[in-house]
Amino acid sequence: MTTSTVPAYYSIARKAGYTIRDAPVDPYVIPDPIPQDKEELATLLEAAFPDHPQIAAGARKYGPSAFKMLATTESTMQLFKLDKTTAKQLISVLRAGQFLYAPPVGSVPLIRSIEDVYALCQPLVNQLEEHLVVLLVNKNYQLALQQTIAIGHAAGIGADIAAIVQPSLERKISSFVLVHNHPSGDPTPSPEDIAFTQKLQQATALINLEMLDHVIVAKGGYASALRPQA
């Protein structure tokens, strides 16, 4: 049954300045992120892809965060209903933009709480298919990488442990958050979600990777598959 509220076990007030792992952060050391302009991005993409208005529409609706999840040609084709050539062009334009519009110091999103994850992954809650996303978190609690690992269907998603840990190993970042959406609107973790999370936690511990959380996002709120009874 779809829920319209945040699960009760996350309704308890959390101390400000604490991360998912409940480690304190000095707010004066790491400044809060600077909002990015949706309209500017949409205008640039409109000029670059005049025959594909859905790209600019996505920028206006979800902002820059939606485009951080475009890791592969296949996922880009599927997300924006593009042909292979246009999908490759979009990825190339976005990667070039990373050099031209590099975020200033202090503008990198912080991952300090499950609420931070939910805010960052808002574009996922409207997806009709499940998306599996990994967020790499550096020692300063900053988002180092946001990458889509797989896209499934309304009933579920196949998850490959090797694909999940590969970004961490390649970039030598030992902490990550796993995120996926529930198209049903209910963020409650399923038995399969919990079982897979436990399996992944055991596997990553063997190679010294720390899974900070496995967050499920949906229109009805968010929940943790790592701490389902928290």
Side-chain angles (χ1 to χ4, degrees):
M1 181 175 64
T2 300
T3 180
S4 59
T5 59
V6 174
Y9 45 81
Y10 276 119
S11 297
I12 301 172
R14 297 172 63 84
K15 293 182 180 179
Y18 275 69
T19 68
I20 293 170
R21 62 159 78 105
D22 289 331
V25 176
D26 185 344
Y28 297 102
V29 174
I30 310 172
D32 282 330
I34 298 172
Q36 299 182 58
D37 188 3
K38 293 182 181 180
E39 188 57 38
E40 181 182 4
L41 177 61
T43 300
L44 291 170
L45 291 173
E46 226 166 24
F49 301 95
D51 297 327
H52 301 280
Q54 69 270 32
I55 298 176
R60 285 194 173 93
K61 186 171 184 180
Y62 302 119
S65 61
F67 297 88
K68 294 175 184 176
M69 296 182 286
L70 302 181
T72 66
T73 301
E74 291 72 23
S75 64
T76 305
M77 291 171 63
Q78 191 168 6
L79 189 61
F80 288 101
K81 311 301 180 187
L82 301 173
D83 59 83
K84 190 172 185 177
T85 299
T86 305
K88 286 184 175 181
Q89 290 173 345
L90 176 57
I91 291 174
S92 297
V93 166
L94 293 171
R95 287 178 178 170
Q98 289 177 349
F99 293 96
L100 295 173
Y101 297 93
V105 175
S107 69
V108 178
L110 303 180
I111 305 298
R112 298 169 296 184
S113 68
I114 195 168
E115 292 84 4
D116 289 339
V117 174
Y118 186 59
L120 181 68
C121 296
Q122 269 294 302
L124 289 179
V125 305
N126 294 309
Q127 295 296 329
L128 300 179
E129 298 176 314
E130 286 198 7
H131 288 57
L132 186 68
V133 177
V134 66
L135 309 177
L136 300 190
V137 183
N138 67 21
K139 62 183 181 180
N140 293 320
Y141 301 89
Q142 296 169 315
L143 176 69
L145 178 74
Q146 179 174 343
Q147 183 170 320
T148 300
I149 301 300
I151 298 176
H153 48 78
I157 190 168
D160 179 13
I161 291 179
I164 292 171
V165 303
Q166 183 177 359
S168 295
L169 297 176
E170 288 178 348
R171 290 161 181 80
K172 297 181 180 180
I173 295 177
S174 60
S175 299
F176 71 95
V177 177
L178 193 65
V179 185
H180 83 273
N181 62 306
H182 277 182
S184 67
D186 182 355
T188 304
S190 67
E192 292 78 14
D193 291 334
I194 295 171
F196 176 76
T197 301
Q198 293 172 345
K199 180 181 178 182
L200 178 61
Q201 186 179 38
Q202 293 170 359
T204 54
L206 294 175
I207 52 176
N208 296 318
L209 295 182
E210 181 185 15
M211 179 168 60
L212 300 177
D213 209 339
H214 179 184
V215 180
I216 300 169
V217 300
K219 290 183 178 180
Y222 51 81
S224 170
L226 183 63
R227 304 174 181 88
Q229 304 301 325

